[in-house]
Structure formats: C-alpha cells, structure tokens
Amino acid sequence: MRFHVLTLFPEMILQGVSHSILGRAIADGLIRVEAVNIRDFSHNKQLHVDDAPFGGGAGMVMQAPPVYEAWEAVSQKIASEQGEGIRKTRVVFMTPAGRPFSQEIARELAAEEDLILLCGHYEGIDQRVIDEIVTDEISIGDYVLTGGELPALVVMDAVSRLVPGVLGNDDSAEDESFSGMYLEYPQFTRPREYHGREVPEVLLSGHHENIRKWRLEQSMRTTMRKRPDLIDPARMSKEEAKIYRRLLAESEEYGPSSE
Ligand code: SAM
C-alpha cells in the first residue's frame, strides 16, 4: 500500500513513520510513504503558499493553485506506476469537519492500493480546490490541531497495521478492540506476581477453551462498563447473549443509566 501525503511539513510525516512497526513495514516494502511538499509548487520567489482570507478574519488560508498542482503531480506519478489498470485514487482531506475516524474507516481505506492524504495548515485550504480534488474528509476528533500532519499520521498508522504482513502476527489485528463489538480483554505478562497482584489463574492453565471463554467475558465486562454504546444485543451470538444476561443480572453497574 502506498500513501502520498500532501503537506507543508514533509519531515514531520517522514519522521513520524520511520520508527517501530511502520518503519519496519517500510523497510520490508509492505507500505510506502511519500511526502510531497506543497511549497515546491508555490508561485512566488518567497515560496509563500498562503494568503489572507477574502472577507477578512484571522489567520491565513492555503491557496488553491499549489495544492492543486501538488495533487496533479502525485496523480500523474501514481498513474504512471499503475500503468494500464489506472484507478481513481481517493484523496482524503484531514479536517475537523470530516467523518469521525474509526476502525471501520481504517479497514475501508486499507483496501486501497494508493491513498492521497491532504494536510491543511493555518486556517485551512481554499474551498475551491477542496471541492475539485477531495473525495473523503476525515476528522480524528472534536478538537482543533495546528495542522493535518498528526491526523494523517494517525490515519496511516491505523490503516498500515491492517495491511497483511505489517503486524508480525496477522491474528493480532483481529482479536483487539473495535475488531468486533467489544473492547479488548486485559493482557498480562511476566512476572506472575507484581506488587502483590497475581495473574488470573486461568491464563496459566494452558486450557485454550477456558482461556477463550474468560477473555470473551472480560471483553464484554470492559465494554459494558466503559463503552456501553458499543453493545448491540441483536448482534450477539448465543454464547455472548447468555454471558450478557448473566452480567446484567450480576451487577447493577451494567444496568440502564438512571439519567
Ligand atoms: N479553521 C479550521 C476550522 O475551524 O475547522 C481549523 C484549521 S486547523 C488550525 C489547520 C488544519 O489542521 C486543518 O486544515 C486540518 O487539516 C488540520 N486539523 C486540525 N484539527 C484536525 C482534526 N481534529 N482532524 C483532522 N484534521 C485536523
């Protein structure tokens, strides 16, 4: 999978993906990250790419022509690499006004061969170029950052770990929070006893079926306590529905809110 990031701060992107699992995935050729400097497409000697907003107001706005030309250059490169089978490459604009990012969107994007990520800065980008080239808008949360680089890194991280081979063990992405309806069960490693706290006995038993059941129940408990909005009894298996009813009966903690 190839990411093409349109940004004013390419070093930030390249630094951000150069470590740990993403760094290894790049070295192994499983993903490729290219950062295109929008400033290279500036139309003036000072290399400015922003200007004051029409209509007045605070801050500066990124101009349409450099953004468009950066996108055009990347699109041509992608087209020349794709050869005959050219597909329209999705262009994701990182913006607080976008679709809230989720594991589901990460899964959807992981199916793409190429992805263009557009990072805004200052007060944002001239709307006309957004209307012309952007296919998707994604927000990483209800807060405002100084630029789209951190959001682009968040998206690339979540998407990359779903690309086959990026995680050492392909199962690890299937068994964790948001892969199904539940958050992940608690994890433990050595030492067996830590500050007087023991690892749950069942995890030392070697009994795979009991461990599976214990983890499922722990996942359900955690989700019911921390994110009851994720629970949908209609989607539960028979086994899950049985555990769910027992947990509800067991504790008022999981009951309907008194608001
Ligand atoms: N004036 C814009 C507004 O009120 O929505 C905010 C612009 S912000 C200072 C500069 C850039 O950071 C945005 O164009 C966007 O690319 C990025 N950005 C900031 N917060 C973001 C978020 N929560 N999710 C995704 N991108 C964000």
Side-chain angles (χ1 to χ4, degrees):
M1 163 144 209
R2 297 177 290 260
F3 297 99
H4 312 264
V5 187
L6 308 182
T7 169
L8 289 176
F9 298 93
E11 320 77 43
M12 208 172 152
I13 296 294
L14 297 176
Q15 255 298 320
V17 296
S18 65
H19 303 278
S20 180
I21 294 175
L22 292 203
R24 214 168 43 229
I26 292 171
D28 292 346
L30 295 167
I31 59 169
R32 202 169 87 195
V33 179
E34 282 174 11
V36 178
N37 193 342
I38 296 171
R39 208 175 287 286
D40 290 346
F41 299 86
S42 164
H43 284 203
N44 53 65
K45 272 201 211 126
Q46 299 77 28
L47 300 184
H48 287 161
V49 289
D50 58 329
D51 210 330
F54 279 122
M60 301 294 269
V61 175
M62 286 170 68
Q63 295 168 294
V67 173
Y68 183 83
E69 285 159 36
W71 166 79
E72 204 173 35
V74 162
S75 299
Q76 278 163 4
K77 183 161 183 246
I78 294 172
S80 71
E81 285 182 358
Q82 284 184 346
E84 304 252 306
I86 292 181
R87 297 196 297 165
K88 180 145 175 37
T89 304
R90 284 165 81 165
V91 181
V92 181
F93 177 39
M94 309 311 308
T95 165
R99 231 183 347 153
F101 191 49
S102 64
Q103 191 67 14
E104 196 186 336
I105 299 178
R107 264 194 295 271
E108 182 191 312
L109 297 179
E112 300 291 326
E113 225 166 89
D114 289 277
L115 205 56
I116 300 176
L117 300 173
L118 172 59
C119 306
H121 229 86
Y122 316 119
E123 280 315 306
I125 301 181
D126 188 309
Q127 186 61 39
R128 291 168 294 180
V129 69
I130 296 173
D131 292 343
E132 198 161 344
I133 66 171
V134 167
T135 60
D136 300 78
E137 296 191 342
I138 290 180
S139 162
I140 64 156
D142 289 345
Y143 41 79
V144 179
L145 300 163
T146 54
E149 286 72 20
L150 289 173
L153 286 167
V154 167
V155 168
M156 285 192 288
D157 191 298
V159 171
S160 296
R161 57 201 299 290
L162 299 175
V163 171
V166 168
L167 295 182
N169 170 4
D170 269 356
D171 291 340
S172 10
E174 272 170 32
D175 213 19
E176 61 191 4
S177 301
F178 304 116
S179 53
M181 199 191 331
Y182 310 115
L183 301 173
E184 203 190 41
Y185 45 80
Q187 300 271 16
F188 301 89
T189 185
R190 270 186 265 269
R192 280 174 66 152
E193 198 230 277
Y194 167 72
H195 287 187
R197 296 164 193 262
E198 296 276 355
V199 170
E201 200 58 41
V202 63
L203 298 179
L204 309 171
S205 67
H207 193 300
H208 296 303
E209 179 56 10
N210 285 353
I211 292 173
R212 186 196 64 77
K213 283 186 187 153
W214 181 86
R215 286 182 166 163
L216 172 61
E217 180 169 329
Q218 294 302 316
S219 279
M220 293 181 69
R221 279 182 190 278
T222 305
T223 314
M224 288 165 76
R225 198 178 320 119
K226 296 183 179 172
R227 290 292 305 274
D229 57 299
L230 296 176
I231 299 277
D232 177 5
R235 285 173 52 210
M236 287 180 185
S237 67
K238 269 192 185 158
E239 181 188 21
E240 290 166 358
K242 201 170 152 197
I243 299 172
Y244 181 62
R245 283 194 299 274
R246 177 165 55 75
L247 292 179
L248 280 181
E250 234 174 52
S251 167
E252 283 176 13
E253 188 183 351
Y254 306 126
S257 108
S258 51
E259 280 168 35

